[in-house]
Amino acid sequence: MKAITVEPKKPGSARYEDVPEPDVQEGAVLVEAVAVGVCGTDVEIVEGKYGWAPQGETRLVLGHESLGRVIDPGPNSSLKKGDLVVGIVRRPDPVPCPNCAVGEWDMCRNGQYTERGIKKLHGFMSERWRIEPEYAIKIDPSLGLLGVLLEPATVITKALEHVAVIGRRSFWEPRTVLVTGAGPIGLLAALAAKLHGLDVHVLDRVESGAKPDLVRALGATYHAGSVRELGLEPDAIIECTGVGQVISESIQAIGSCGIVCLTGVGHGGVIPPAACADIAASAVLKNNVIVGSVNANKRHWYKAGNILARADRNWLSRLITRRERPENFKQALERKPDDIKVVIQFAEI
Ligand code: BGC
């Protein structure tokens, strides 16, 4: 079968090539790939900045935002042939650490977790893949291709859950949330926050096009410009850019007792003008919490499935701005100005 593979830490090594059929050791459920979403992590892996091949191998099958159709459910699963499924990304560390031991692998303590398509486990960008039944999430069949948005939705579901848990350390009735970045994660954050009944503001650099339209279609407010100039004092900021300047301004703009949740992974960039101690002083004097959030556990996968199932299908479909064939994966990895979510489509749905 064909797969999109890469030699991790070697820039430019990605190719679409023949690989063996998936090993039954990878799970009893055999799945036909329908589509795989592309995200910044995939771009980083292809650029040689991140990623690990499975033990004893040099290449990694890329892809962690999956959608597939069950070919063979295997002997012990409640799945049926034809079911649409999405694969959970992370597996607990083998020790296991206390958090992995209780199924909270997203909070792994020792870093020995593994991740499909990212860290030591083959991903989902292959014509067929296998998965353990307990890591296959069956989706509402009416979602169709939109099921490929489940993985990014889990990331934001976890982030919002953690904000809500942290908020309860004192009186907490949040009203206003600011989302920085109107990419797929930011837009899904805006959707989820809107479903929670919050006054949602989204900030991005672009002034026109699909992003502002999608934000307004949710009944949220769109802003182009800087966090500092907004004049908002939100109860929570969901930071989805990973850009230093946006992060530093967010920490200073957050309301008293508010929470800044960082979900973007950035590198380097311009050093923000505010000194670290000034930023910290602002957080101390306003009782703020700045929290990082990555990945998701099974509870978040379940909740994210409910969010997608409740969302307007037409709105969700506008998030998928481009579909590419697997042989054109290089185009899929290129970021174009109007892109929101690009997917590589392996089979018709
Ligand atoms: C994925 C997460 C993963 C993280 C770090 C993200 O792109 O969505 O599931 O934990 O990368 O590897």
Side-chain angles (χ1 to χ4, degrees), residues 106 154 157-158 161-162 296-304:
D106 57 316
T154 66
T157 303
K158 173 192 171 174
E161 184 196 80
H162 280 221
N297 66 43
K298 207 162 182 177
R299 182 173 71 251
H300 309 122
W301 282 79
Y302 176 78
K303 287 180 167 182

Side-chain angles (χ1 to χ4, degrees), residues 79 285 316:
L79 293 167
L285 295 170
L316 282 179

Side-chain angles (χ1 to χ4, degrees), residues 39 41 50 64 89-90 113 115 118 151 155 294-295:
C39 87
T41 304
Y50 197 63
H64 60 278
V89 177
R90 196 175 276 198
Y113 63 83
E115 287 179 337
I118 302 174
E151 197 280 339
V155 167
V294 70
N295 198 253

Side-chain angles (χ1 to χ4, degrees), residues 140-158:
D140 183 336
S142 73
L143 280 170
L145 183 68
L146 302 174
V148 77
L149 298 170
L150 183 60
E151 197 280 339
T154 66
V155 167
I156 214 63
T157 303
K158 173 192 171 174

